[in-house]
């Protein structure tokens, strides 16, 4: 039950409590997230548990952090005074907590989060790994601050421990601040229960010459709603948003990736690839927005869907909004199915049909690594995520 | 080189003196709608449809998506204007001198002299000049003003009118069905192949005028035809409205090419609805050029109803300062083994906004659908905006749909190459632009290709410095 008492429960800090109270007051006036665009396939918003306030939000979420570097990666409630000031300054500095009902709920109910700070000019050799395990419902905030000239990779696995039939709700927020010349790679693999609605807001700000790279792999969730946004605010900033999705059964997925170019010579690469089986549905929108202040910008956007289920549906809206003529932008989208010829070829090499379909599907997802060719470590991370999750389904 | 292609924009922008026998007071009322119907001596079912549409129109709010329609003062538009000329003359000499001059300036009789199969011209709300080549007449091709068709071919009209674009489709379709006047009616009988294109020209002259022509084309089984229309309006300080409607029926194994060059003046709101229903093995081809007009919302739509039906869309949109061209194409795949190809090119110049808004939809059970969409945008100068909003919605796993788009500016290398061959920068840019639009111009009859090229050249003038 989420109420005023709940605000006091998890931690006793007055600042936190005040914020919660404010958020709780506003939740019910805010709209649910938008899951439909124009004439597109309807994504079922009934899958968001209706009576948000009647649910139990005493979560037992555990975050297992593996960090062998000089960077800081710790839960908010273990932060020292200096770190608390950082959290206060940057938490929800990019994401608007009043955007919709779920992000407001996330703000109101999240009891803890993880702060990662990479000191100036520090290049981490090994990734920081986080295993987030949820029970039924959960709310998490990840705040990453990469100081000038630093470099780091964060790889996160999201799982759910419980079984059973109860419908759950997980809301997450990820904010990344990449200062001048910093480079942050954030990888995420989501494999929660197929009865849980998973909602994730991700937003990054890239300063001059900074680079932000996102990779997300989704296999779980009855409903997945994911928005990934990069603000390219510094000159020569770069971003990459890669996503793979493996949907089956009756899963619904709605995701958007956005890049807002607000400075000169900024570049964006976006690519989403989805395999959609059973009667699963996907609605994906990509947006590259190039402002008047960003001459010399370059953008690339691609969305591909492979429909393998007879009742599967896909909607792709690759959108460009360009307000500067000094630009080179392209986008593309494809929707198709497994080619009979490819199947025949593999079967003629001795694979049975099922195995042949698997090989083709895996190759389809793995080809996303073409965007990570120049970085062996990132490529390996992506490959291991796809392979690990393919193994479990 | 620029000399022989220089044209005078004033010939489009200049208004002729108003000589009307009937000019409705601004705004739309039930009385006006009854009056239009009465003047046209229409059958009761048409009046019923008009009134039904008016009612829905008055209840329906303005669309909330797309470009702003704020400047559109719907209460100040004259919804019906009847020029002082004999309707549907078949002799060019009968057309009053000033109207004739306008059309001559626009090149209509020239076009006919080049032996286009038939020509119709609409001035304000009525069709005033109409001619169809003898041979086609003998083959049974009907090419009429829509008002006349309603009298002479009532059964055919009733069977198809309002069946492709329903009156309650959207706010401006409702307005159109309440106030429609004139337009083109074409019926090509079974198996007849009209080799030369039929054409019509629409011109809005009066200030704060509204033009709501209705075009209905029926191509019967195995028949073939090509129709082309041009549109223009003079420039006033107040806004005018064009809300036409085009319904195309392409029957089994038939083929239709529908081409249009729309060049309304800079303060026209061009809110047009164009749609085709294509039966088995039928082919629809759209060739469109959208220049002029302040705000355009136009998305030609192909409904691929029959198995193995095909659609091809080819378009160019051009927006200069203060213009918003919100155009695109839609293809709905309903039959089996259907295919659509959409090629959309756009140019946005200093302060202009172009938006490509498209839909490709494949229904469940529409097996083996194929669709390919290509958008290509060229941006020139500062403050220009280019948006691309395609929606791909696939509900059948046997479909193959692809979309590709590029946005960029004129390449330095291309410019340098042409300049090194002795062209100045402006001439070089013009040459690159005409190369960019060539895939469209080469599909148009010569005069229209020339007109399109000249108009774009004219718009490009003064791009440098």
């Amino acid at each position: 039950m989420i109420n005023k008492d709940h605000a006091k429960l998890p931690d006793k800090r007055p600042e936190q409590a005040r914020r919660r109270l404010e958020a709780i007051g506003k939740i019910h006036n805010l709209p649910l997230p938008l899951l439909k665009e124009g004439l597109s396939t309807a994504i079922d918003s009934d899958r968001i548990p209706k009576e948000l306030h009647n649910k139990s939000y005493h979560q037992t979420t555990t975050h297992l952090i593996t960090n062998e570097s000089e960077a800081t990666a710790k839960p908010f409630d273990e932060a020292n005074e200096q770190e608390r000031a950082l959290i206060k300054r940057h938490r929800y500095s990019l994401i608007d907590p009043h955007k919709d009902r779920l992000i407001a709920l996330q703000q109101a109910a999240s009891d803890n989060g993880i702060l990662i700070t990479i000191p100036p000019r520090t290049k981490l050799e090994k990734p920081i790994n986080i295993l987030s395990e949820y029970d039924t419902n959960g709310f998490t905030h990840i705040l990453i601050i990469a100081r000038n000239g630093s470099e780091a990779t964060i790889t996160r696995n999201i799982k759910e421990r419980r079984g059973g039939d109860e419908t759950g709700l997980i809301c997450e927020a990820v904010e990344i601040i990449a200062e001048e010349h910093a480079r942050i790679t954030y990888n995420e693999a989501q494999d929660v229960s197929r009865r849980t609605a998973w909602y994730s807001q991700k937003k990054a700000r890239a300063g001059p010459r900074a680079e932000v790279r996102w990779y997300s792999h989704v296999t779980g969730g009855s409903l997945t709603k994911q928005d990934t946004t990069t603000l390219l605010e510094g000159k020569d900033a770069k971003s990459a948003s890669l996503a793979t999705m493996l949907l089956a059964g009756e899963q619904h997925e709605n995701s958007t990736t956005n890049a807002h170019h607000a400075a000169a010579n900024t570049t964006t690469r976006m690519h989403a690839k989805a395999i959609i089986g059973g009667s699963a549905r996907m609605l994906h929108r990509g947006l590259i927005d190039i402002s008047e202040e960003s001459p010399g910008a370059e953008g690339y956007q691609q969305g591909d869907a492979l429909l393998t289920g007879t009742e599967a549906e896909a909607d792709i809206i690759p959108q460009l909004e360009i307000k500067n003529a000094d630009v080179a932008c392209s986008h593309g989208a494809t929707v198709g199915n497994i080619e009979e010829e490819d199947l025949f070829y593999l079967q003629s090499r001795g694979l049975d049909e099922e195995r042949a379909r698997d090989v083709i599907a895996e190759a389809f997802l793995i080809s996303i690594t073409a965007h990570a060719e120049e970085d062996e470590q990132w490529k390996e991370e992506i490959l291991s995520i796809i392979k690990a999750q393919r193994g479990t389904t | 080189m620029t000399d022989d292609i220089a044209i005078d924009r004033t010939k489009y922008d200049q208004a002729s003196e108003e000589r009307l026998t009937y000019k409705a007071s601004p705004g739309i009322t039930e009385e006006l709608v009854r009056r239009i119907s009465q003047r046209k001596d229409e059958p009761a079912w048409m009046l019923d449809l008009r009134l039904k549409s008016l009612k829905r129109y008055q209840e329906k709010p303005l669309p909330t998506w797309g470009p702003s329609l704020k400047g559109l003062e719907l209460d100040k538009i004259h919804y019906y204007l009847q020029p002082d000329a004999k309707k549907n003359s078949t002799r060019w000499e009968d057309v009053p001198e000033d109207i004739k001059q306008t059309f001559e300036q626009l090149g209509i009789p020239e076009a006919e002299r080049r032996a286009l199969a038939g020509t119709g011209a609409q001035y304000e709300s009525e069709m005033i000049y109409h001619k169809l080549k003898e041979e086609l007449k003998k083959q049974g091709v009907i090419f009429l003003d829509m008002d006349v068709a309603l009298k002479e071919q009532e059964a055919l009209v009733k069977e198809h009118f309002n069946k492709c674009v329903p009156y309650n489709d959207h706010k401006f379709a409702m307005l159109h069905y309440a106030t429609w006047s004139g337009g083109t009616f074409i019926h090509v009988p079974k198996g007849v192949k009209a080799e030369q294109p039929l054409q019509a020209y629409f011109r809005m002259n009066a200030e704060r005028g509204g033009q709501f022509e209705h075009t209905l084309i029926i191509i019967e089984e195995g028949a073939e035809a090509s129709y082309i229309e041009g549109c223009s309006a003079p420039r006033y300080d107040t806004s005018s409205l064009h809300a036409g409607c085009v319904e195309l029926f392409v029957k089994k194994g038939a083929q239709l090419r529908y081409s249009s060059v729309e060049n309304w003046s800079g303060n026209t709101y061009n809110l047009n609805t164009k749609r085709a229903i294509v039966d088995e093995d039928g082919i629809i081809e759209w060739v469109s050029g959208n220049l002029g007009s302040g705000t355009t919302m136009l998305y030609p739509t192909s409904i691929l109803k029959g198995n193995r039906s095909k659609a091809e869309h080819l378009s160019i949109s051009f927006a200069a300062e203060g213009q918003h061209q919100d155009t695109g194409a839609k293809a709905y795949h309903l039959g089996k083994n259907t295919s659509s190809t959409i090629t959309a090119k756009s140019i946005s110049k200093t302060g202009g906004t172009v938006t490509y808004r498209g839909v490709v939809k494949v229904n469940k059970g529409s097996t083996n659908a194929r669709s390919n969409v290509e958008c290509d945008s060229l941006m020139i100068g500062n403050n220009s905006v280019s948006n691309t909003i395609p929606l791909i919605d696939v509900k059948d796993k046997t479909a193959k749909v692809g979309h590709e788009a590029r946005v960029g500016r004129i390449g330095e290398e291309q410019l340098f190459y042409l300049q090194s061959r002795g062209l100045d920068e402006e001439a070089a840019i013009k040459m690159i632009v005409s190369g960019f639009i060539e895939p469209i111009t080469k599909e148009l009859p010569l005069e229209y290709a020339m007109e399109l090229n000249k108009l774009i050249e004219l718009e490009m003038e003064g791009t440098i410095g």
Side-chain angles (χ1 to χ4, degrees), chain B residues 159-219:
Chain B
E159 190 188 333
H160 295 91
F161 197 85
N162 175 39
K163 298 294 187 299
C164 179
V165 179
Y167 77 94
N168 55 2
D169 207 54
H170 57 83
K171 175 132 179 126
F172 293 97
M174 296 166 194
L175 176 64
H176 170 88
Y177 277 102
T179 57
W180 78 270
S181 178
T184 299
F185 174 85
I186 295 173
H187 181 257
V188 183
K190 199 170 160 178
V192 172
K193 293 185 168 52
E195 274 165 22
Q196 287 161 321
L198 300 149
Q199 78 164 15
Y201 207 94
F202 299 97
R203 168 118 179 133
M204 248 187 326
N205 187 59
E207 189 170 358
R208 285 198 192 278
Q211 188 159 339
F212 307 93
E213 84 285 354
H214 195 98
T215 295
L216 177 58
I217 301 178
I218 305 153
I219 312 295

Side-chain angles (χ1 to χ4, degrees), chain A residues 41 308-310 313-323 325-327 329-337 339, chain B residues 332 364 379 381 383-388 390-397 399-409:
Chain A
T41 290
T308 57
T310 35
E313 293 179 16
D315 270 286
I316 304 181
I317 311 172
Q319 200 171 336
L320 301 175
E321 281 185 26
I322 296 163
K323 297 182 185 73
D326 182 5
V327 71
C329 244
S330 65
H331 72 181
T334 62
V335 180
N337 60 328
E339 298 276 352
Chain B
Y332 292 87
K364 181 93 205 129
M379 297 179 76
N383 301 321
S384 41
V385 178
S386 169
N387 299 327
T388 316
L391 168 65
I392 299 165
D393 182 356
V394 178
K395 295 186 169 34
D396 196 285
K397 69 175 230 173
K400 254 194 202 90
V401 178
H403 173 99
E404 251 179 79
R406 285 172 296 277
V407 180
R409 62 195 164 128

Side-chain angles (χ1 to χ4, degrees), chain A residues 234-256:
Chain A
K235 215 177 145 197
D236 301 313
K238 283 182 179 173
S239 83
S241 298
L242 307 182
T244 46
M245 289 155 249
L246 184 58
L247 307 174
E250 292 175 350
Q251 287 180 292
H252 283 189
E253 203 271 349
N254 173 312
S255 56
T256 71

Side-chain angles (χ1 to χ4, degrees), chain A residues 101-331:
Chain A
R101 205 182 295 173
L102 293 189
I103 190 70
L105 183 67
Q106 126 80 24
Q107 188 195 24
S110 94
D111 60 339
N112 211 341
I114 297 167
L115 172 72
I116 297 171
T117 48
I118 325 290
R121 287 169 296 283
T122 310
K123 293 189 167 58
L124 305 192
E125 283 185 11
K126 282 189 179 169
I128 297 173
N129 286 303
I130 303 171
L131 171 63
S132 299
E133 283 191 291
Y134 288 97
D135 273 346
T136 317
N137 301 302
F139 304 87
T140 296
H141 203 113
I142 311 268
L143 180 60
I144 301 167
I145 298 163
R147 286 282 145 85
N148 291 350
S150 64
E151 239 183 82
T153 297
I154 293 102
T155 298
R156 216 174 138 231
N157 277 282
I158 304 161
K159 293 197 182 299
E160 207 172 332
R161 276 186 295 253
R162 77 184 178 106
D165 279 348
E166 201 184 343
T167 53
L169 175 66
I170 295 172
C171 296
E172 301 193 328
V174 179
E175 289 178 290
I176 299 176
I177 287 129
E179 294 181 355
E180 186 165 353
H181 211 207
R183 179 196 242 191
I184 285 291
T185 308
Y186 181 87
N187 303 316
E188 194 178 84
Q190 183 264 77
D191 187 19
V192 300
S193 150
R194 300 242 168 122
R195 302 196 62 82
T196 292
W198 182 74
Y199 170 87
S200 171
Q201 292 294 312
K202 301 185 169 78
K203 209 161 182 180
R205 188 174 72 213
R209 290 189 295 156
E211 186 171 2
V212 175
R213 306 190 300 189
W214 304 94
Y215 169 64
S216 145
H217 182 64
V218 169
T219 51
S222 63
L223 170 75
T224 291
K225 168 66 183 163
Q226 177 171 224
D227 297 320
T228 309
T229 303
T230 312
L231 309 170
L232 296 144
E233 290 186 352
K235 215 177 145 197
D236 301 313
K238 283 182 179 173
S239 83
S241 298
L242 307 182
T244 46
M245 289 155 249
L246 184 58
L247 307 174
E250 292 175 350
Q251 287 180 292
H252 283 189
E253 203 271 349
N254 173 312
S255 56
T256 71
T257 36
N258 310 287
H260 299 287
H261 292 248
N265 303 319
T266 43
T267 62
T268 291
R269 273 177 301 161
M270 284 180 184
H271 199 158
K273 303 199 86 164
I275 295 177
I276 308 167
S279 56
R281 291 180 186 177
M282 178 194 71
L283 166 57
H284 175 75
R285 183 168 63 77
L287 171 66
I288 297 179
D289 164 15
I290 294 179
S291 74
E292 286 165 46
E293 287 77 40
S294 48
E298 281 179 31
Y300 168 87
Q301 190 187 146
Q302 179 73 33
D304 300 310
L306 196 66
L307 299 183
T308 57
T310 35
E311 303 288 324
E313 293 179 16
D315 270 286
I316 304 181
I317 311 172
Q319 200 171 336
L320 301 175
E321 281 185 26
I322 296 163
K323 297 182 185 73
N324 195 303
D326 182 5
V327 71
C329 244
S330 65
H331 72 181

Side-chain angles (χ1 to χ4, degrees), chain B residues 228-430:
Chain B
I228 179 159
E229 63 181 28
C231 313
S232 73
R235 188 177 287 270
Y236 288 110
D237 293 334
T238 51
S239 60
S240 48
L241 169 66
H242 172 246
C245 180
V246 174
E247 298 187 282
L248 310 176
F249 292 86
V250 181
K251 302 279 167 83
K252 194 174 163 184
Q255 242 184 73
L256 172 65
R257 169 177 286 204
Y258 174 94
S259 314
S260 70
V261 176
E262 300 197 31
N263 178 37
W264 304 100
S265 78
N267 40 28
T268 302
Y269 283 83
N270 184 21
L271 312 173
N272 223 339
T273 311
K274 299 185 178 183
R275 195 171 299 167
I277 294 180
V278 190
D279 289 344
E280 245 173 74
D281 296 302
I283 299 174
I284 176 76
E285 294 175 345
W286 302 88
V287 182
S288 351
N290 284 292
L291 298 100
S293 111
T295 303
T296 301
M297 288 172 89
L298 171 58
Y299 324 97
T301 302
S302 300
I303 296 176
L304 300 169
K305 183 178 143 205
N307 294 341
R308 297 173 302 282
S309 55
K310 257 187 202 166
E312 212 169 294
H313 292 248
L314 194 58
S315 69
I316 173 86
S317 287
F318 184 101
E321 192 164 0
Q323 286 180 279
H324 190 164
Q325 300 280 11
D326 199 296
T327 58
K330 300 181 184 181
Y332 292 87
H333 294 255
L334 310 182
K336 295 185 199 311
N337 301 305
T338 51
S339 75
S340 63
T341 310
I342 297 167
T343 307
K345 286 181 171 260
S346 70
I347 300 173
S348 55
K349 201 195 110 179
T350 326
T353 301
V354 284
T355 301
Y356 171 83
R357 198 185 293 274
V359 175
V360 171
K361 187 163 182 151
V362 178
N363 261 21
K364 181 93 205 129
S366 305
T367 46
N368 298 316
R370 298 287 176 266
S371 176
N372 194 44
V373 182
E374 244 178 83
C375 300
D376 219 344
S377 304
L378 195 59
M379 297 179 76
I380 299 165
N382 295 323
N383 301 321
S384 41
V385 178
S386 169
N387 299 327
T388 316
I389 314 172
L391 168 65
I392 299 165
D393 182 356
V394 178
K395 295 186 169 34
D396 196 285
K397 69 175 230 173
T398 58
K400 254 194 202 90
V401 178
H403 173 99
E404 251 179 79
R406 285 172 296 277
V407 180
R409 62 195 164 128
I410 289 177
E412 296 290 338
E413 272 171 49
Q414 284 178 310
L415 261 187
F416 178 78
Y417 176 83
L418 289 171
Q419 282 176 281
S420 75
R421 292 290 179 278
L423 290 176
D424 66 29
E425 195 179 347
E426 187 161 327
I429 289 179
K430 281 184 179 174

